[in-house]
Structure formats: C-alpha cells, structure tokens
C-alpha cells in the first residue's frame, strides 16, 4: 500500500478557491502558479524560479515585495493596536494619513473603506446624498466615460462600461449615462488634439444641458483608463470636464484608484490638468500593495452638507474594517517612500525603461505604443481571440508576469524595477509575441 501523493497547492487551490476574474474551467489543464516567496520586483514559484512582477500584482505594488520600511511600519503598529472600529473611536495612523492626504490634495475630509469598488460606492452615494441634503434629491444619476471601469460591485457597475463585467448583471444595475472619451488612438489625422478634446467635451456639454438637473456626478479615470485597455486621453479633457461640471452644477469624481499614488508621474493624475475634483478615490497603491485600503477624499462643501443635528443627514455608510490601523500604517510608510524624491526618480526611470523597450516600440506586431509615467501599453496587430491567455502563459514560462487586456499588452512595474528585471520582462514579452504568432 502506498500513501496517496499529496495534492499540490495548485491542485488544492482549484478544488476550493474560486479565483477572481477567472473562468475556472481554464484551470482544468493549467493550474494557477503557486508563489512561495517574493522580493523586490521578483516573485518565486515553488521551484525557486524567479518571475518579474511586471504588473505590480494587479497594479497595487509600488515599492516591491518584502519592502523593509512598509513591513516595519506594519509590525510596529501591530504592537500598538491592530484594529479598532472607527465609529466613536480613532487612532493616530488614520488621523495622520488623513492629514497628509488633505495637505497633498486640498481635500480635507477622508472616508475610508477596504477596496476600490467600495470607494466608488462611497463617492456615488455621497454625491447623491449631498444633492438630497441640499434639497435636490432628483440629482441622483451618474455619467461615466466610454470604457470606464470603477469596480464590480452592483453600484459601481452602474458606471463601469465594460460589457464583459456588466452584461450578466445588467438587470441588477441602474446603468448610468456614457459619454465619449477622446482616446488618442482614435484621433483622426486631420483633427488636432485641441479639436479632438473639444468634440468629446461638446458631447458631454450636450448631455449636461439636457440632464444636469437629474445628474449627481461625472466619474472619470484621469488620463488613463487602465481596465479598458490603457486608453489614454489628453489632460486638457479633464480641465474641460471640470469646467463643465462646475458650470452645470454636477460633481466631478476622479477615480484615481489605478493612476493615483504617483503612477502617472504626479501624486494624482488630475494634477497634470490642474484640476481639483469634488471627490478623489484612492486604493490599490495606497497601502503599497500590502493591505486592503481605500479612501474617498472630498471638499468642505460636500462635508458641510452632511453636518447637522439630524442623524439621517449624516453619511452613515461603514465597513467593518474602515480605516484599519495596520493598513493606514502601511499607507503612511508608502507616502514616506513617495516623498523620498521618488517621483523625480520615477521620471528618470521611465526614460531609461523607454530606451530598453525600444524593440517593443518598433515591433511589427505592436502599434499605438504609449506611456504615461510608469505605465506602458501597446496594441497587438491582428491578435487571435485567445491572445491574452496564450501570451500570459508564454510570458510566464519566460519569467515575466504579464497579463494583456484583450489585444493590449501593457506593463506597469513597481517603481523599484531595475534594468535587469526590465530586460527580463522585455525579452519575455518579445519571446511570447513570437511564440503566440507561430501557433
Ligand atoms: C481596480 C480599480 C477599481 C476597483 O478596485 P478594487 O479594489 O478591485 O475593487 C476601481 N477603479 C479603477 C480605476 C480601478 O483600476
């Protein structure tokens, strides 16, 4: 009699873990990869094989894995208090984080949650509730940009214009209005950037002329719509959207969940348009990729409309882990790392990587090369329908975690990637492109 061979972690995972954003049948013949250790930009599988984390573990990791300062901050906080409810109680990390975010953004009031989608929910609810509190309850609809992605809870799906994520739940969702985005790839040759922005802004204005009376807010992903396939649009559009929202008395919500925390070269992407939104949502990189944390920052004007003797005029939304002390400690350490001149370093790093990525920019199967800060994207010419999964598997075999979105290949590395790792990811991408082309 032999003891049965113990099942691998990967096999056990498929048996009991329902993986996110995954058709589980795909794992019938290719199980998920077990990661046993991570250090800097490198992940290590059970055999100790290094894999460069070219997408910052779904865009959350800013300063690498096993980051000493973030770890030390969490450990120190663990010895004081790990978590207490934030209703009626408070603690230093959440206060300090709120003060620092206020100083950096000019938005003085911070409401916390755990994930990006919850931040979207909070911003939408707060906006509509604001209008109710000021005597305009009919302003309760939302506008999003074409291809927008703001999370996948039922409320956030109202403004998430990605059919694959929304179609199955459409009957549950109060779908918002969608206006065009001035995607730089679609700009006709005989139309200059200013005119291209103006065309999109004019459509937004026509919508507002008709519907501002029932609209609470416009929600946008500033500069780059990552989940839509890294759609980039000019900063000037944000400035136009801000002006129109102000003119038509509609809130502007900046969903900086993916692009905030320095990813596009400034702490917030909307700084590049000189724009101050009514709400800013942050998550993903906020805690450096360590713990779930999100925040919605807003203005004195919004806050003031809730400040009252009447409990029901308050914003009663809560989550059990709102303002987790451990997550806030991680976020404070992350802000410290960003403050250490990292944003300036990032600009130099981006240029060095741009040079290393020249073979990708020039690749005959890639077009529309684009970069904003430390986000690169390329569109694959004539990509087969299963390009994304095949490419990801080929890249993984070559030591790079790269997961194209549809026919868009992108890379969004931690801010500490060095040239060796960048070369690994470039060569893995080139090899995977060849392999997929040959199939
Ligand atoms: C990831 C993302 C979200 C949702 O965040 P989760 O933490 O996954 O819920 C919302 N908006 C944008 C722009 C995102 O990239």
């Amino acid at each position: 009699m032999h003891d049965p061979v113990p099942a691998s972690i990967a096999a056990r995972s498929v048996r009991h873990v329902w993986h996110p954003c995954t058709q589980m049948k795909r794992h019938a013949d290719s199980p998920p990869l077990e990661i046993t250790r991570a250090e800097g930009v490198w992940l290590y599988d059970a055999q100790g094989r290094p894999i460069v984390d070219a997408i910052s573990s779904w865009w959350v990791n800013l300063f690498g894995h096993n980051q000493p300062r973030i770890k030390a901050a969490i450990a120190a906080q663990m010895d004081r208090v790990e978590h207490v409810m934030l209703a009626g109680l408070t603690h230093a990390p959440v206060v300090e984080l709120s003060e620092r975010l206020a100083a950096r953004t000019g938005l003085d009031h911070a409401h916390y949650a755990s994930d990006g989608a919850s931040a979207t929910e909070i911003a939408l609810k707060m906006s509509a509730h604001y209008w109710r509190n000021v005597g305009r309850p009919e302003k309760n609809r939302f506008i999003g940009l074409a291809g927008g992605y703001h999370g996948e809870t039922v409320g956030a799906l109202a403004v998430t214009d990605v059919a694959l994520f929304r179609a199955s739940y459409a009957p549950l969702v109060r779908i918002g209005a969608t206006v065009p985005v001035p995607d730089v790839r679609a700009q006709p040759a005989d139309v200059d950037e200013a005119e291209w922005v103006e065309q999109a802004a004019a459509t937004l204005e026509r919508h507002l002329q008709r519907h501002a009376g029932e609209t609470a807010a416009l929600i946008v992903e500033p500069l780059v719509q990552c989940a839509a396939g890294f759609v980039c649009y000019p900063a000037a559009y944000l400035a136009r959207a801000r002006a129109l929202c102000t003119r038509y008395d509609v809130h502007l919500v900046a969903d900086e969940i993916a692009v905030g925390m320095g990813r596009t070269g400034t702490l917030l992407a909307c700084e590049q348009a000189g724009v101050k939104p009514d709400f800013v949502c942050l998550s993903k990189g906020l805690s450096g990729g360590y713990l779930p944390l999100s925040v919605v920052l807003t203005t004195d004007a919004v806050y003031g409309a809730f400040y009252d003797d009447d409990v029901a005029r308050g914003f009663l939304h809560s989550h059990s882990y709102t303002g987790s002390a451990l997550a806030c400690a991680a976020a404070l350490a992350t802000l410290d790392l960003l403050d250490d001149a990292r944003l300036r370093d990032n600009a130099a790093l981006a240029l060095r990587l741009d040079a290393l990525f020249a073979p990708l920019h020039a690749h005959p199967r890639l077009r529309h090369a684009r970069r904003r800060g430390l986000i690169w994207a390329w569109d694959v010419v004539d990509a087969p329908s299963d390009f994304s999964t095949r490419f990801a598997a080929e890249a993984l075999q070559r030591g790079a975690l790269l997961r194209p979105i549809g026919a868009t290949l992108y890379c969004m590395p931690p801010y500490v990637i060095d040239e060796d790792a960048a070369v690994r990811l470039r060569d893995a991408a080139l090899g995977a492109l060849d392999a997929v082309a040959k199939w």
Side-chain angles (χ1 to χ4, degrees):
M1 288 280 283
H2 294 286
D3 287 337
V5 178
S8 67
I9 289 285
R12 286 158 60 194
S13 191
V14 171
R15 174 89 178 83
H16 285 296
V17 180
W18 196 334
H19 287 264
C21 204
T22 301
Q23 168 50 266
M24 288 300 291
K25 191 168 183 201
R26 183 168 87 70
H27 284 316
D29 46 39
S30 76
L33 180 68
E34 183 193 2
I35 299 300
T36 53
R37 189 167 75 80
E39 178 76 41
V41 300
W42 297 97
L43 311 175
Y44 296 89
D45 70 8
Q47 281 71 49
R49 201 171 59 101
I51 296 152
V52 59
D53 186 356
I55 57 171
S56 299
S57 287
W58 256 355
W59 322 345
V60 301
N61 190 295
L62 303 189
F63 294 101
H65 299 271
N66 205 10
Q67 213 296 326
R69 284 171 71 178
I70 301 178
K71 273 201 323 187
I74 295 171
Q77 185 56 40
M78 202 112 70
D79 287 337
R80 295 187 197 110
V81 54
E82 75 298 333
H83 174 68
V84 289
M85 62 190 282
L86 201 61
L89 306 177
T90 194
H91 51 76
V94 77
V95 173
E96 204 188 317
L97 180 59
S98 307
E99 287 172 352
R100 285 176 70 177
L101 291 172
R104 295 292 288 267
T105 64
L107 296 166
D108 278 346
H109 307 281
H111 195 99
Y112 291 88
S114 315
D115 295 288
S118 317
T120 300
E121 300 279 337
I122 288 168
L124 300 184
K125 281 178 66 180
M126 224 180 231
S127 172
H129 195 166
Y130 166 90
W131 292 113
R132 183 182 184 82
N133 280 353
V134 301
R136 302 180 69 185
E138 67 286 358
K139 282 171 75 70
N140 58 38
R141 317 254 1 161
F142 300 101
I143 310 172
L145 300 185
Y149 179 91
H150 302 287
E152 295 176 53
T153 51
V154 171
L157 281 177
V159 285
T160 286
D161 180 36
V162 181
L164 185 62
F165 298 147
R166 184 157 80 183
S168 301
Y169 315 102
L172 312 182
V173 179
R174 188 162 170 267
I175 293 175
T178 300
V179 295
V181 62
D183 182 342
V184 294
R185 294 170 305 181
Q187 184 181 325
D190 59 344
V191 171
D192 69 9
E193 183 186 291
E195 171 58 20
W196 188 231
V197 163
E198 204 41 54
Q199 286 178 15
T203 309
L204 172 60
E205 179 155 26
R206 279 197 297 279
H207 183 87
L208 290 170
Q209 279 165 348
R210 301 231 307 276
H211 299 289
E214 73 230 39
T215 301
L218 164 70
I219 183 166
V220 301
E221 294 155 90
L223 300 187
V224 190
Q225 297 179 293
C226 299
F230 295 85
V231 173
C232 296
Y233 63 88
Y237 178 76
L238 284 174
R240 290 290 286 121
R242 170 71 278 182
L244 290 169
C245 285
T246 303
R247 182 173 327 144
Y248 289 90
D249 225 6
V250 162
H251 289 139
L252 177 65
V253 181
D255 175 350
E256 298 251 2
I257 290 166
V259 294
M261 300 301 286
R263 184 57 78 176
T264 67
T266 43
L267 183 73
L268 300 184
C270 58
E271 289 168 32
Q272 294 178 41
V275 153
K276 184 174 165 185
D278 300 289
F279 300 88
V280 167
C281 303
L282 291 171
S283 187
K284 292 209 164 103
L286 178 60
S287 66
Y290 266 74
L291 288 162
L293 181 67
S294 64
V295 64
V296 177
L297 304 166
T298 192
T299 60
D300 288 341
V302 169
Y303 180 75
F306 289 79
Y307 196 84
D308 198 88
D309 291 324
D310 181 358
V311 175
R313 284 175 65 98
F315 191 63
L316 305 185
H317 185 109
S318 67
H319 296 283
S320 308
Y321 282 95
T322 294
S324 148
L326 293 177
C328 289
L332 287 168
T334 303
L335 281 178
D336 287 343
L337 288 161
L338 276 170
D339 284 345
D340 289 353
R342 285 295 183 183
L343 291 180
R344 246 172 304 140
D345 296 354
N346 278 3
L349 173 65
L351 294 179
R352 285 202 303 280
L353 295 197
D354 237 359
L356 287 176
F357 292 164
L360 290 167
H361 301 330
H363 196 284
R365 289 178 64 86
L366 299 177
R367 62 175 175 169
H368 296 312
R370 51 201 184 274
R371 176 177 75 79
R372 296 290 182 279
L374 285 172
I375 302 173
W376 284 262
W378 305 264
D379 293 346
V380 179
V381 182
D382 296 330
S385 61
D386 56 352
F387 167 77
S388 169
T389 32
R390 273 164 51 184
F391 180 95
E394 293 290 344
L396 204 52
Q397 271 180 26
R398 291 166 174 79
L401 180 64
L402 285 163
R403 286 174 51 115
I405 294 182
T408 298
L409 167 63
Y410 76 95
C411 121
M412 198 162 167
Y415 304 170
V416 292
I417 189 167
D418 62 14
E419 296 190 7
D420 283 352
V423 165
R424 167 74 67 98
L425 97 77
R426 175 198 67 193
D427 292 347
L430 292 169
L433 276 173
D434 280 352
V436 171
K438 271 194 220 100
W439 281 17

